[in-house]
Amino acid sequence: MTKLSYLHEPGVLHNLAMRYELNEIYTYTGNILIAINPFQRLPHLYDTHMMEQYKGAGFGELSPHVFAVADVAYRAMINEGKSNSILVSGESGAGKTETTKMLMRYLAYLGGRSGVEGRTVEQQVLESNPVLEAFGNAKTVRNNNSSRFGKFVELQFDKNGRISGAAVRTYLLERSRVCQISNPERNYHCFYLLCAAPPEVREKFKLGDPKSFHYLNQSSCYALDGVDDAQEYLATIRAMDVVGISEEEQEAIFSVVAAILHLGNIDFSKGAEVDSSVIKDEKSRFHLNTTAELLQCDVKSLENALIKRVMVTPEEIITRALDPVAAVGSRDALAKTIYSRLFDWLVDKINISIGQDPNSKQLIGVLDIYGFESFKLNSFEQFCINFTNEKLQQHFNQHVFKMEQEEYTKEEINWSYIEFVDNQDVLDLIEKKPGGIIALLDEAWYKKLYAVSVISYSTLLLLVDFIFTASRSMFPRSTHETFAQKLFQTFKNNKRFIKPKLSRTSFTISHYAGEVTYLADLFLDKNKDYVVAEHQDLLTASKCSFVASLFPPPAEESSKSSKFSSIGSRFKLQLQSLMETLNSTEPHYIRCVKPNNVLKPAIFENANIIQQLRCGGVLEAIRISCAGYPTRRTFYEFIHRFGVLAPEILEGNHDDKVACQMILDKMGLKGYQIGKTKVFLRAGQMAELDARRAEVLGNAARTIQRLIRTYIARKEFMALRKSAIMLQSHWRGLLACKLYEQLRREAAALKIQKNFRRHIARESYLTVRLAAITLQTGLRAMTARNEFRFKKQTKAAIIVQAALRCHLAYSYYKSLQKAALTTQCGWRGRVARRELRKLKMAARETGALKEAKDKLEKRVEELTWRLQLEKRLRTDLEEEKAQELAKLQDALHAMQVQVEEANARVIKEQEAARKAIEEAPPVIKETPVIVQDTEKVNSLAAEVESLKASLLSERKAAEEARNACTDAEARSAELQKKLEDSERKVDQLQESMQRLEEKLANSESEIQVLRQQALAISPTGKSLTTRQRTMIIPRTPENGNVTNGETKVSPDTTLAISNVREPESEEKPQKSLNEKQQENQDILIKCISENLGFSGSKPIAACVIYKCLLQWRSFEVERTTIFDRIIQTIASSIEIQDNNDVLAYWLSNSSTLLLLLQRTLKANGAGSLTPQRRRATSASLFGRMSQGLRASPQSGGLSFLNGRGLSRLDDLRQVEAKYPALLFKQQLTAFVEKIYGTIRDNLKKEISPLLGLCIQAPRTSRASLVKGRSQANAAAQQALIAHWQSIVKSLNRYLDIMKANHVPPFLVRKVFTQIFSFINVQLFNSLLLRRECCSFSNGEYVKAGLAELEQWCYGATEEYAGPAWEELKHIRQAVGFLVIHQKPKKTLNEITKELCPVLSIQQLYRISTMYWDDKYGTHSVSSDVIANMRVMMTEDSNNAVSSSFLLDDDSRLVCSVF
């Protein structure tokens, strides 16, 4: 608020009203935070996202908030090692308690640490609030939950900045409220909560309606709107459990509270003796007995303590009776003393439960204390409260003046002493010794005590000595009138003390916030702070240990000093201790303001708020600022705003400070100061500069209008000139056409003549040419016949020679082939035996696979057992429910039967009695007969009464049965709900079972492969021998080639194999790879280690690997090392994650090879899978990949497969894969995902620093502010989009890399889609969190940058960019909203449906309230639209809709695109 142009009361009030209308409830006045109570929930202001934004942020960098004050205090404590305090003040209902809770939450977020039994220290402090509110809060005229005591919470921190302990200190509990309340206020909440407790609790404490108790029925208000006392009672019980109060202590606490209520209902009447009193009636006697029972003390002793006093003299002990008025005073004094001791015990218990850290050197204190109070009738409590606020106001004024002085000293400017209101004279009037109001009050109270009390002789001497020391004058008997007269005589010349004209017992004090008139009638009584000896002895002797602990026997020395202490003196000492604590810390101030007295939202009462600002000292702080230099601007801000007043200064190369000085001198301002980094202006000078600036901008606008009108006139002239020129052009064209027609006719005649002459010459030439060709043909035919005859003879001789030579060579070759086959068979037998030994060793390793299978089977059995258990539990619940309903129905039926039988018996007894009376003989003279009939009638009547009583009891039992039935139905509903939850869990377990079955199917296929391998190793596996023998035959032109999956072997070769050691080769398996294949593997690994490049957009390395593996049948063998070597080669190639060329190269090869494997390999035993398992397999990663690629070959990047032998994806031959091949496919999948994520994250890291610079326009150079310099403006515009161009360059570089390496387009699209989503989230979140970004000029800057990205998407084409541009929809719509004109004319429907359909109401509200036009000075949307947004936000918060307005980044891996 110190940045306002007019810093006075109307300006401050207008600023607060405008911010309150926008739900901006927090405002800074320097370093002071003003918090206006919104009277509604604003959850978006206090969520975790907001805490994260304010954590570590500079003060004033973000919008004003209570979190910012807490963060400043915490950072100052950590960095400077000094304790801090936060003073929260304001009148009742201003929101002090809620503000304190928010401070505690944020401090717990910064320095929270786990405490005892899983509860943190800060949680224990917050959980103690319900207990303190129940026993220390009450309804007042201004607030339904007003704290009637002051609270100072100390959070202790260790050296690491973590919370290590805490303590709660209270001040000045309003004890008189226990006995006296006014309409429409209430007593303390705990009394009403106990009266609303469950029936068994009320019956235990003999409580009833609150209207029946004297301490509660003095007011007509017994309940609060929207508050259920029964629920609050249960909440208080839970809070006591959390704090650590045991059940026995809770029972004792509520027993004491109930005893106070019964104690207030004890009335007295005059006794037989003079000035004596007795218990009034039986009702009062009942309450006396109940009080004694609850306090567990003697009834007679309690009665004597209330109506008698004991005087001890050296000679004897004298007992004196009290009159009824004095007895009532004794009763009320006992009630207040008990309640005060109970509240102190609760505070001590809470502090013990929380625990304090004795080694802590740093703390942050939060002071939640009552504000300045001025009512129609003000008593001793208001006097103490206002005395506290006077002390705090003096501390506040001194601190504000100190901050102002530090600001001037830091900027090194010349300044003089600033006068500010010092309220030291008011404090001297109240607390000065001797002669202050509190001192005179203590003196008068001691004299009253001397006149009316019965004390011992020694105590009387001490008291008289004290009285004569304090004052030379002595009253015969002090009363409120004599006390008031003493004040009038003592302070008649004091300007702060005023004597009312029409009252003898009232006096007025002129406080800093205004004059307050106090009624001195009850000052003497409320100042008492001693316990009557009879009361002390009574409660000390209580049989209840809790009550006795509240009144421990005082020591002799302490009893003499504490017996005659006063509330005023004790409160002054507490306040002095509090001020010492605050002076030892660095203070921070929060002033809570209540906008209206009806406690409703959206109501802003100016008079009420301006009075609270005066009482809180805010206006005094503003006055101190105005007395100095209230307006401060940094050099850059000043030049940026007022540089238009002196453009010639901006053209020169001047320093910022010199430029500011020259601008101010040109404007002719006086009295300003230039600091080190800021310009300090006097009050009103900023308004004068703004007026000058508006005048310059107006002249510039008129100049622009003049130039525009000139441009329009010239445009019309140019249009007329263009029309005339067009007419002339058409006429000249017509003349040119006529001339062209004449010239064309002449050219046609010349062309006809030329062609005719050419025809005659060609006819002559063709005749000569035909004759020459005929002669040449005859000669050439004769020569050709001679050459053909010679060649035919030569060819016949060559054929004869070739046949002979072939026969000789073939005979020699067959002899060599037989010798070679004999040698090979011997060698292969030796190698096969060696391989057999290795396979036997490998068979032992299958034990581990069997163990894995056993574990999977156990897991399936366990899940099956759990499913059966859930079904059995469900069945048991249904049976239990049915049995319980049957029992209840049987019980109800039995009750009804009993009631009917009882009714029948009553009717029968009545008829029998009637008949007995009618049949009785007439009364004769015999007296015994009359007596006998009378006795019978009486017995029958008694029996009828007993039957009626039994009928009533049966009806009551039936009612209880109905209630039990209702409860049973409720329990049945709960069981039904639990049953539904169980069914839902069963469904989830079934889904889990299905997934496990799918996994089991895959595991079974792998186990089947391993089992076949084990069978092949066994001696009975003869089928493998034949297959291995077929696999190891070399593919040479002599022994056959593989064609269409069949092996063609020459007959000679077959004969040689069968003749040479045939039994041995059939019984032993041969190796899967020979030595030649091992050499081929080495060559393959060496080949793929280098960059083979691409052939027609096909990755050569992937195709080579696939062809080699398929040719060698590596997918069908049980043991091979080629897969591990390929994986190791790929892993070593991508170790350097910064080389994007290498990563893109291997991403292309890996994805291509993965697709080929997916279409080629199939697991052994896949044909036996059920249709359900097959569907699950097709929905896996590779299934989605192949289906997506096959559905769209262009988008899937299948163009690289259109080569030799791979013309179509469906033409690939499938083979049954063994376990190594399946494992190789899984490892290759992991490498594809890893390489993809690495490329995407590298691009994110590269553009992340640039995004922080792209959300806000950089500082425009000073030269660009001068109008009319096109070259400078062009350079500035180029500098503005430099960061965006850097992002575009990065995108182009990555796109070129992936294109060069032929990465599949669908992977490229996914990379850029996620990158654009990341850009959208970063820019949009920064826009919502920084107000300086929500401006018109900044919107234009971001819009220009987004245009660069759009141009890039257009250049990258749909094939590679895809839907990336659509990912920027949030930031595009937000920026479009910022730069649109005439925002006030837009309706909410147009904004949400047309302009910004994607943005939520919270996001639109945030942008609308933070928008400011720094270019044209236009306004945001209308207030009606803002109000509608608030209504919709309130409905969303009530419907539990998430109120967070920030976006989350979606960075899922590549598996989602498959």
Side-chain angles (χ1 to χ4, degrees), residues 1136-1153:
I1136 303 176
Q1137 298 185 354
D1138 295 333
N1139 193 340
N1140 294 316
D1141 288 324
V1142 176
L1143 293 175
Y1145 171 78
W1146 280 109
L1147 178 60
S1148 177
N1149 282 276
S1150 301
S1151 58
T1152 302
L1153 183 57

Side-chain angles (χ1 to χ4, degrees), residues 1111-1129:
Q1111 184 72 15
W1112 298 339
R1113 294 192 177 183
S1114 300
F1115 304 121
E1116 303 176 40
V1117 298
E1118 287 81 8
R1119 295 176 59 84
T1120 181
T1121 60
I1122 183 61
F1123 298 134
D1124 295 335
R1125 298 182 66 181
I1126 294 174
I1127 290 297
Q1128 291 175 3
T1129 303

Side-chain angles (χ1 to χ4, degrees), residues 1253-1271:
L1253 302 174
C1254 290
I1255 187 57
Q1256 185 176 6
R1259 287 189 173 183
T1260 307
S1261 59
R1262 195 177 300 116
S1264 66
L1265 296 175
V1266 183
K1267 305 299 181 181
R1269 299 180 63 183
S1270 60
Q1271 183 177 2

Side-chain angles (χ1 to χ4, degrees), residues 396-689:
F396 173 73
N397 288 341
Q398 293 175 354
H399 179 69
V400 170
F401 177 73
K402 182 179 178 182
M403 289 192 299
E404 197 77 12
Q405 179 180 355
E406 289 177 354
E407 178 72 15
Y408 296 157
T409 305
K410 177 182 177 183
E411 292 292 330
E412 298 180 358
I413 65 173
N414 298 325
W415 62 283
S416 58
Y417 183 77
I418 300 174
E419 294 291 338
F420 66 95
V421 177
D422 189 3
N423 58 347
Q424 185 60 44
D425 51 351
V426 180
L427 296 176
D428 293 339
L429 173 67
I430 296 174
E431 66 174 349
K432 186 176 182 181
K433 293 180 63 176
I437 294 178
I438 294 178
L440 294 177
L441 181 62
D442 290 343
E443 175 186 348
W445 181 75
Y446 286 133
K447 292 174 182 179
K448 179 178 179 180
L449 183 66
Y450 167 72
V452 302
S453 298
V454 180
I455 56 178
S456 63
Y457 182 72
S458 59
T459 306
L460 180 61
L461 292 179
L462 292 173
L463 182 59
V464 171
D465 182 71
F466 173 80
I467 292 173
F468 276 101
T469 303
S471 176
R472 296 297 181 184
S473 61
M474 182 174 180
F475 300 148
R477 180 183 176 93
S478 292
T479 63
H480 56 274
E481 294 181 355
T482 57
F483 169 65
Q485 294 301 323
K486 181 63 176 179
L487 293 179
F488 297 153
Q489 294 175 6
T490 305
F491 305 115
K492 59 183 178 180
N493 297 325
N494 194 316
K495 63 180 181 179
R496 292 284 190 172
F497 188 87
I498 303 173
K499 177 182 178 182
K501 296 181 180 180
L502 301 178
S503 177
R504 299 181 58 186
T505 60
S506 300
F507 61 92
T508 303
I509 297 178
S510 179
H511 292 283
Y512 74 94
E515 295 181 355
V516 180
T517 300
Y518 299 99
L519 189 64
D521 291 350
L522 298 176
F523 265 51
L524 296 178
D525 295 333
K526 292 183 178 181
N527 192 39
K528 294 187 296 184
D529 188 30
Y530 72 94
V531 181
V532 178
E534 289 77 5
H535 298 169
Q536 175 72 36
D537 297 338
L538 172 69
L539 298 176
T540 302
S542 173
K543 297 179 181 179
C544 179
S545 59
F546 178 78
V547 176
S549 64
L550 297 179
F551 293 88
E556 295 182 0
E557 297 179 357
S558 62
S559 62
K560 294 179 180 179
S561 60
S562 62
K563 182 176 181 180
F564 301 106
S565 63
S566 65
I567 292 290
S569 299
R570 187 163 62 89
F571 179 69
K572 186 170 70 173
L573 293 177
Q574 289 182 345
L575 186 59
Q576 182 179 357
S577 174
L578 175 62
M579 296 309 298
E580 290 176 355
T581 303
L582 295 179
N583 290 330
S584 64
T585 61
E586 182 67 24
H588 306 271
Y589 297 95
I590 299 177
R591 293 292 188 253
C592 297
V593 178
K594 183 169 67 173
N596 56 78
N597 290 325
V598 295
L599 310 182
K600 293 183 178 180
I603 299 177
F604 193 86
E605 298 178 354
N606 294 335
N608 186 17
I609 291 179
I610 203 68
Q611 177 63 25
Q612 293 180 62
L613 293 178
R614 291 195 187 101
C615 295
V618 177
L619 297 180
E620 179 64 19
I622 295 175
R623 190 197 66 78
I624 292 175
S625 299
C626 290
Y629 300 94
T631 306
R632 301 140 194 197
R633 293 289 187 274
T634 61
F635 293 150
Y636 170 75
E637 293 175 351
F638 186 82
I639 294 173
H640 183 72
R641 184 170 181 82
F642 300 110
V644 295
L645 299 178
E648 67 279 0
I649 298 175
L650 298 179
E651 293 179 355
N653 189 13
H654 299 291
D655 183 66
D656 288 350
K657 185 174 182 180
V658 176
C660 294
Q661 180 74 38
M662 295 173 69
I663 293 173
L664 291 170
D665 292 340
K666 182 178 179 180
M667 294 297 102
L669 297 181
K670 304 294 182 183
Y672 62 86
Q673 289 283 347
I674 302 294
K676 293 175 67 177
T677 61
K678 296 180 182 179
V679 176
F680 292 81
L681 301 178
R682 290 286 189 183
Q685 290 182 342
M686 176 62 76
E688 182 178 354
L689 289 175

Side-chain angles (χ1 to χ4, degrees), residues 120-320:
T120 59
V121 174
E122 61 276 5
Q123 286 177 344
Q124 297 180 41
V125 175
L126 293 176
E127 289 163 351
S128 65
N129 284 333
V131 180
L132 294 179
E133 289 180 0
F135 289 86
N137 288 24
K139 179 189 181 304
T140 61
V141 178
R142 297 184 178 180
N143 187 9
N144 290 342
N145 190 27
S146 177
S147 298
R148 307 316 300 164
F149 64 97
K151 180 171 65 175
F152 184 72
V153 181
E154 294 181 359
L155 291 179
Q156 300 165 349
F157 295 82
D158 57 15
K159 61 182 179 180
N160 296 324
R162 315 300 294 178
I163 297 178
S164 59
V168 180
R169 312 195 188 283
T170 59
Y171 303 94
L172 192 63
L173 177 68
E174 188 180 357
R175 301 196 307 173
S176 59
R177 181 173 290 272
V178 178
C179 305
Q180 299 175 358
I181 55 175
S182 58
N183 197 27
E185 296 185 352
R186 289 206 325 171
N187 212 318
Y188 289 107
H189 293 326
C190 61
F191 296 114
Y192 303 92
L193 301 185
L194 190 57
C195 291
E200 60 273 10
V201 177
R202 294 199 303 267
E203 183 179 357
K204 179 178 181 180
F205 297 126
K206 300 180 181 180
L207 298 176
D209 192 356
K211 297 180 181 179
S212 61
F213 294 100
H214 172 68
Y215 285 162
L216 305 182
N217 60 18
Q218 300 176 30
S219 170
S220 60
C221 180
Y222 298 99
L224 300 177
D225 296 336
V227 178
D228 187 357
D229 289 333
Q231 296 297 327
E232 292 297 324
Y233 170 80
L234 299 178
T236 304
I237 292 295
R238 289 193 295 269
M240 286 183 173
D241 294 334
V242 171
V243 168
I245 301 176
S246 63
E247 295 183 0
E248 294 77 8
E249 291 174 339
Q250 294 178 21
E251 183 177 358
I253 290 170
F254 288 112
S255 177
V256 171
V257 174
I260 293 174
L261 291 177
H262 287 290
L263 184 63
N265 281 8
I266 301 175
D267 292 331
F268 304 94
S269 60
K270 292 185 178 180
E273 301 178 1
V274 180
D275 293 336
S276 65
S277 60
V278 294
I279 303 302
K280 184 176 181 180
D281 50 18
E282 291 299 326
K283 181 179 179 181
S284 298
R285 177 69 64 180
F286 167 76
H287 288 293
L288 177 67
N289 295 333
T290 304
T291 303
E293 179 183 350
L294 293 174
L295 295 178
Q296 297 186 20
C297 59
D298 184 60
V299 178
K300 190 62 178 179
S301 301
L302 176 60
E303 181 179 359
N304 293 333
L306 293 177
I307 63 177
K308 294 180 180 181
R309 289 292 178 269
V310 178
M311 180 174 62
V312 180
T313 63
E315 294 80 11
E316 59 180 344
I317 298 176
I318 302 174
T319 300
R320 183 173 66 88

